[in-house]
Amino acid sequence: MKLTRRDAVAALVGAGVIGGAGAAALARDGFQADSNAANGEGEGTEAIVEALVGTARAVYPSEVENVGGFVETYAATKLARRPDFRAGAADALSDLDAEARITFDARFAALDPVESETVLRRTGAETAEPDSEGTTAEQVRYYFVNEVLYALYGSPTGGELVGIENPQGHPGGTDSYRRRPDR
Amino acid sequence: MTAAGSGGRTGTPDRTPSPRVDVCVVGAGPAGALVASRLVDRGHEVVVLEAGPRFDRADRRERMERSIRPAHGARSVWNVGGERDAFTASGERFYPLNVARVKGVGGSTLHWQGMVMRLHESDFERQARDGVGADWPIDYADLRPYYSEAERALGVAGDADNPFAPPREEPFPMPAFSPSYSDSLFAEACEEAGIAMHSVPNARNSQPRDDRSECVGYGTCQPVCPSGAKYSADATIEAAESKGVRVLDSVPVQRLEPTDDGERVGAAVYTTPDGEEHRQEARQFVLAAGGVETPRLLLLSKAAEHPDGLANSSGAVGRYFMEHLFAGTGGRADRATRQNHVGFNTSESHQFYDNDFEKVDPIKLEFLNYAGPSPVEMALTADEWGDDLLDSLREAYGTHLAMGGLVGQLPRARNRVALDPTTTDDHGNPVPDIQWSLDDRTRRTLAKANDLQAQVFDHLDAGVEWVVGPENTGPAYHHMGTTRMGEDPDESVVNPRLRTHDVANLTVASSSVFVTSGAMNPTLTIAALALKAADHVDADL
Ligand SMILES: Cc1cc2nc3c(=O)[nH]c(=O)nc-3n(C[C@H](O)[C@H](O)[C@H](O)COP(=O)(O)OP(=O)(O)OC[C@H]3O[C@@H](n4cnc5c(N)ncnc54)[C@H](O)[C@@H]3O)c2cc1C
Ligand code: SF4
């Protein structure tokens, strides 16, 4: 199933990053405008976006397509508008990079999906409780794993993978709850 | 994300008292908001003192994210808990007070579900009809016009298709939400089981109204509606402020100070975030601090003429605490049931509300639209990812069905809100001690609710996986009865005008005045009583 820009915008609305007007503007102007803004602001933004993309490639199901475009759109806007989140993610990324260097002698964003998954597992993020101020495992779970999982499963396409096109957190209107299932 | 103070964006708001006003209202939940709004409409000068903060509307989506993502405890969405909200539960059953309320402008309606029904005529006369509980000194007919006004004030979407509802003269302000797909599955089963389904009145916009959006399906109604479609009392407060009501946030009232002769309240003593203590004087005081803090504040306001607490010559302050208990049954069908698209219900059955009062009390049955897990929430707490996670989500989501239900409790003096002198809050005041227990009659009623649910499930192609009933029930977060209404000053705290028997200028607007609980969610009745209380205060000013 292919993730679209619409999904990224939906995920941003669901995450409270943008409101209705912001969503309309972003959908119109596209990914370009906002990612430029993000690149200008705050050091390390690009590295965090790359690491979020790397995380998504490892933790998204294999049938999802266009992971890169989706996560980049989502992450660029989120990081531009949430400086606290960006700062926390930058901290967590240094731990993630350290783990990647120990295991594969490269920074996290340079790894392929299988290697990324190995590193994420080694941090303990798979079974950790998310906590923005916790241990490395808890921070990686919060800033990377859960961030991209929230973006996916809170968006219509991610929801549809499971059978719910209007997942919690997505303002999908008041028709879908009445619709008959198509299978 | 912050909880801004009044005018917070432009520096520290002025929290000094106004010169003596006509009315001082304590609490900015729906009860206090409606009282303030009506009294300003009648030309009175009104100050509202609210213990909790003002929550910025712009933060609602971020609060929603908090509610879905597991890193933030559920109570962090509205900053509940900590020393400010410390409590004791020394009764037979633990009472989870801090899941059951919110402190802030809007009160607990910031978090609530928003289903709003009128009580039935029988609820007002249980003693006369059934020989149990007690009778209210007012009846349904007295409240009926106020119910209509309350439905307009909150903005209720509903339909007149409920054959069991008490008589009403006007249509609901908005059309009801249509039944869900899963309602149609229940409808077939209910028909076979001989159970009638009908719509649910929701305090939730089914179309744009009062500058608030229609429901757009975020599905997170409890604990937060980002679109503002769900009514919350901050909307009433904002409207009241635009008409001239002054609202001070983050100013918990410490005690009500009676005049020397003890006949009247002279001032509400409150503290500001910087630790200063102030006195707000007023001609009339309205206590609208919810069903737990209202009796607590009276008990904390001991004085020479009121040695057991203000307005407590009857000894009834804090007593007769009642809750609604949840009865539920859930399981999985052999087909898709499409749950968790929205966070509210569209069908109920009130068929068993007025039945068979010999052994059991009223029962309200609900058909849930949010049975089983929400995939996004499940994903965020899973111990796996990738294709394994997707497989698990597909296995877990999609075929759940569930029914809920509420039953009430009869008033018993031993169930009460008292003070716990051994534990104090952030201001050094004894915390509330909720002494709560269930009796056999309530357990029997829960068992009957479960029986009815089992009958429906028998006719669904669905296996029952869980039952919540007499053994594992929990409260619905409705605090009632703790300053009960009555004609007799020896038995009750307020009179039918909602004025305390003992103190001439003190009115209570709250479910604390309920004499019986019924089994309907209480807030529409709270709103109707608040409007009635405001009329009486107006008449006395
Ligand atoms: C999870 C949940 C779901 C619910 N769902 C429903 C539903 O579907 N339908 C329904 O009818 N009801 C529901 N309720 C109950 C509903 O929220 C309450 O009945 C309603 O909010 C009560 O209104 P109130 O104004 O009396 O009290 P509250 O809304 O509790 O407001 C009281 C206010 O007084 C303030 N206060 C307290 N002490 C002081 C003090 N000393 N000084 C100053 N201010 C003070 C508090 O901070 C608070 O803001 C639900 C409640 C919860 C928690
Ligand atoms: S489903 Fe609930 S949370 Fe979502 S818009 Fe409607 S009322 Fe609000």
Side-chain angles (χ1 to χ4, degrees):
Chain A
M1 221 176 262
K2 190 162 175 186
L3 288 163
T4 61
R5 173 164 303 138
R6 222 187 106 242
D7 284 307
V9 172
L12 286 163
V13 173
V17 178
I18 50 176
L26 188 62
R28 193 179 57 239
D29 302 341
F31 156 54
Q32 211 73 27
D34 235 77
S35 66
N36 287 345
N39 287 339
E41 271 174 50
E43 214 173 301
T45 295
E46 207 174 327
I48 301 169
V49 173
E50 280 171 13
L52 283 163
V53 171
T55 305
R57 291 199 207 281
V59 305
Y60 280 8
S62 50
E63 63 189 84
V64 176
E65 294 164 35
N66 192 28
V67 172
F70 170 76
V71 177
E72 276 164 19
T73 306
Y74 173 82
T77 304
K78 168 117 184 191
L79 294 173
R81 303 204 181 187
R82 291 283 174 75
D84 288 353
F85 180 87
R86 194 180 52 72
D91 276 353
L93 179 58
S94 45
D95 291 340
L96 199 53
D97 277 341
E99 189 62 50
R101 287 211 173 84
I102 292 168
T103 317
F104 294 108
D105 199 23
R107 58 190 192 97
F108 179 75
L111 305 180
D112 69 30
V114 176
E115 292 168 340
S116 301
E117 192 182 352
T118 305
V119 170
L120 288 168
R121 254 202 199 111
R122 290 188 59 124
T123 65
E126 195 174 19
T127 51
E129 301 278 328
D131 183 348
S132 58
E133 286 156 17
T135 61
T136 297
E138 290 165 345
Q139 288 194 33
V140 170
R141 175 83 195 206
Y142 180 86
Y143 286 108
F144 289 92
V145 176
N146 269 12
E147 190 61 25
V148 297
L149 288 177
Y150 183 68
L152 176 66
Y153 289 110
S155 78
T157 301
E160 246 170 81
L161 288 171
V162 189
I164 178 168
E165 70 278 21
N166 179 20
Q168 249 188 352
H170 173 63
T174 50
D175 287 333
S176 75
Y177 80 91
R178 294 186 267 156
R179 221 170 277 149
R180 304 183 69 79
D182 32 68
R183 60 188 146 101
Chain B
M1 184 166 57
T2 54
S6 38
R9 266 146 274 159
T10 51
T12 309
D14 175 16
R15 293 191 174 93
T16 55
S18 296
R20 188 167 186 259
V21 290
D22 295 329
V23 189
C24 172
V25 178
V26 180
L34 289 166
V35 167
S37 165
R38 171 157 293 204
L39 288 173
V40 76
D41 282 343
R42 302 278 165 83
H44 304 298
E45 194 184 357
V46 184
V47 165
V48 179
L49 303 176
E50 166 54 50
R54 230 177 246 277
F55 295 101
D56 196 335
R57 244 169 220 283
D59 292 340
R60 294 264 159 109
R61 281 194 193 80
E62 219 176 315
R63 291 186 190 282
M64 175 182 71
E65 182 183 353
R66 275 172 174 252
S67 80
I68 297 175
R69 292 185 66 157
H72 314 278
R75 274 163 241 168
S76 79
V77 174
W78 297 114
N79 305 4
V80 183
E83 221 189 334
R84 181 196 73 179
D85 296 336
F87 70 99
T88 304
S90 72
E92 258 168 56
R93 286 184 67 101
F94 177 72
Y95 189 81
L97 181 59
N98 285 339
V99 197
R101 59 173 177 178
V102 173
K103 290 185 180 173
V105 172
S108 305
T109 54
L110 293 166
H111 186 130
W112 76 329
Q113 170 75 15
M115 30 181 143
V116 279
M117 300 83 188
R118 300 180 180 200
L119 287 174
H120 282 201
E121 287 142 305
S122 58
D123 289 319
F124 297 86
E125 41 196 48
R126 294 299 308 282
Q127 178 59 240
R129 284 193 188 207
D130 319 312
V132 295
D135 292 338
W136 294 49
I138 58 174
D139 60 18
Y140 178 76
D142 294 321
L143 271 195
R144 185 169 162 173
Y146 290 109
Y147 271 130
S148 293
E149 290 186 64
E151 284 166 352
R152 284 198 297 274
L154 270 54
V156 179
D159 193 283
D161 67 337
N162 178 352
F164 313 107
R168 54 179 304 123
E169 52 289 293
E170 293 168 43
F172 285 94
M174 282 175 286
F177 287 91
S178 304
S180 63
Y181 172 68
S182 55
D183 288 339
S184 73
L185 303 178
F186 279 116
E188 288 167 30
C190 281
E191 189 163 338
E192 287 169 33
I195 293 177
M197 291 168 73
H198 48 76
S199 63
V200 184
N202 272 295
R204 167 180 281 105
N205 284 356
S206 58
Q207 54 197 36
R209 184 172 185 274
D210 285 348
D211 298 326
R212 288 171 23 229
S213 150
E214 79 273 39
C215 171
V216 294
Y218 275 107
T220 55
C221 313
Q222 268 190 63
V224 53
C225 170
S227 76
K230 178 186 84 170
Y231 171 81
S232 52
D234 49 326
T236 306
I237 287 284
E238 275 165 31
E241 284 182 295
S242 71
K243 292 184 274 189
V245 169
R246 182 164 180 237
V247 180
L248 276 59
D249 75 318
S250 306
V251 290
V253 173
Q254 307 296 303
R255 59 190 181 278
L256 299 173
E257 217 171 65
T259 49
D260 287 344
D261 58 8
E263 304 270 313
R264 303 175 70 81
V265 176
V269 179
Y270 65 89
T271 51
T272 51
D274 56 14
E276 292 288 311
E277 202 167 272
H278 297 281
R279 299 171 78 252
Q280 177 62 58
E281 299 184 355
R283 293 164 67 197
Q284 295 281 336
F285 289 82
V286 179
L287 188 44
V292 171
E293 295 296 338
T294 290
R296 177 180 177 223
L297 193 53
L298 292 173
L299 295 173
L300 287 173
S301 303
K302 267 191 206 143
E305 306 292 326
H306 298 274
D308 299 320
L310 194 62
N312 194 21
S313 64
S314 63
V317 169
R319 292 199 179 269
Y320 306 104
F321 175 74
M322 297 174 283
E323 251 287 6
H324 293 135
L325 284 307
F326 181 79
T329 300
R332 297 185 74 163
D334 56 1
R335 50 194 150 154
T337 55
R338 297 187 57 77
Q339 297 296 284
N340 282 309
H341 288 246
V342 289
F344 60 92
N345 297 326
T346 39
S347 291
E348 291 196 340
S349 178
H350 299 173
Q351 184 173 342
F352 304 93
Y353 201 88
D354 289 301
N355 277 354
D356 181 17
F357 283 141
E358 274 176 28
K359 297 193 199 68
V360 297
D361 289 325
I363 296 172
K364 184 187 86 150
L365 292 176
E366 306 164 342
F367 302 90
L368 306 193
N369 288 334
Y370 37 81
S374 144
V376 57
E377 286 185 5
M378 216 184 133
L380 298 175
T381 51
D383 283 349
E384 57 190 353
W385 52 48
D387 290 339
D388 294 343
L389 172 60
L390 180 57
D391 287 347
S392 298
L393 296 178
R394 283 177 172 158
E395 160 58 28
Y397 173 77
T399 58
H400 288 268
L401 286 171
M403 288 180 68
L406 290 187
V407 316
Q409 287 187 286
L410 290 172
R412 289 195 300 166
R414 58 177 289 202
N415 287 330
R416 63 190 287 211
V417 175
L419 296 179
D420 174 4
T422 67
T423 316
T424 51
D425 68 8
D426 55 346
H427 288 90
N429 292 315
V431 304
D433 176 13
I434 319 294
Q435 300 172 15
W436 188 47
S437 61
L438 295 190
D439 64 16
D440 288 342
R441 193 178 167 98
T442 305
R443 287 200 187 87
R444 262 199 318 269
T445 311
L446 287 164
K448 167 138 192 228
N450 287 155
D451 281 348
L452 292 164
Q453 293 165 343
Q455 286 174 35
V456 177
F457 269 79
D458 277 349
H459 292 282
L460 284 168
D461 287 327
V464 172
E465 291 188 341
W466 56 265
V467 175
V468 172
E471 302 313 319
N472 56 350
T473 185
Y477 316 138
H478 306 152
H479 317 136
M480 297 165 284
T482 48
T483 64
R484 66 184 346 203
M485 189 193 324
E487 302 277 8
D488 182 352
D490 292 334
E491 301 279 329
S492 58
V493 180
V494 302
N495 66 25
R497 301 175 82 237
L498 287 326
R499 172 69 45 83
T500 59
H501 292 297
D502 300 350
V503 182
N505 65 341
L506 179 59
T507 294
V508 178
S510 168
S511 47
S512 62
V513 307
F514 287 18
V515 181
T516 54
S517 70
M520 296 297 182
N521 310 56
T523 307
L524 192 72
T525 304
I526 296 173
L529 287 167
L531 294 170
K532 174 171 153 63
D535 276 357
H536 297 309
V537 171
D538 174 45
D540 291 352
L541 274 166

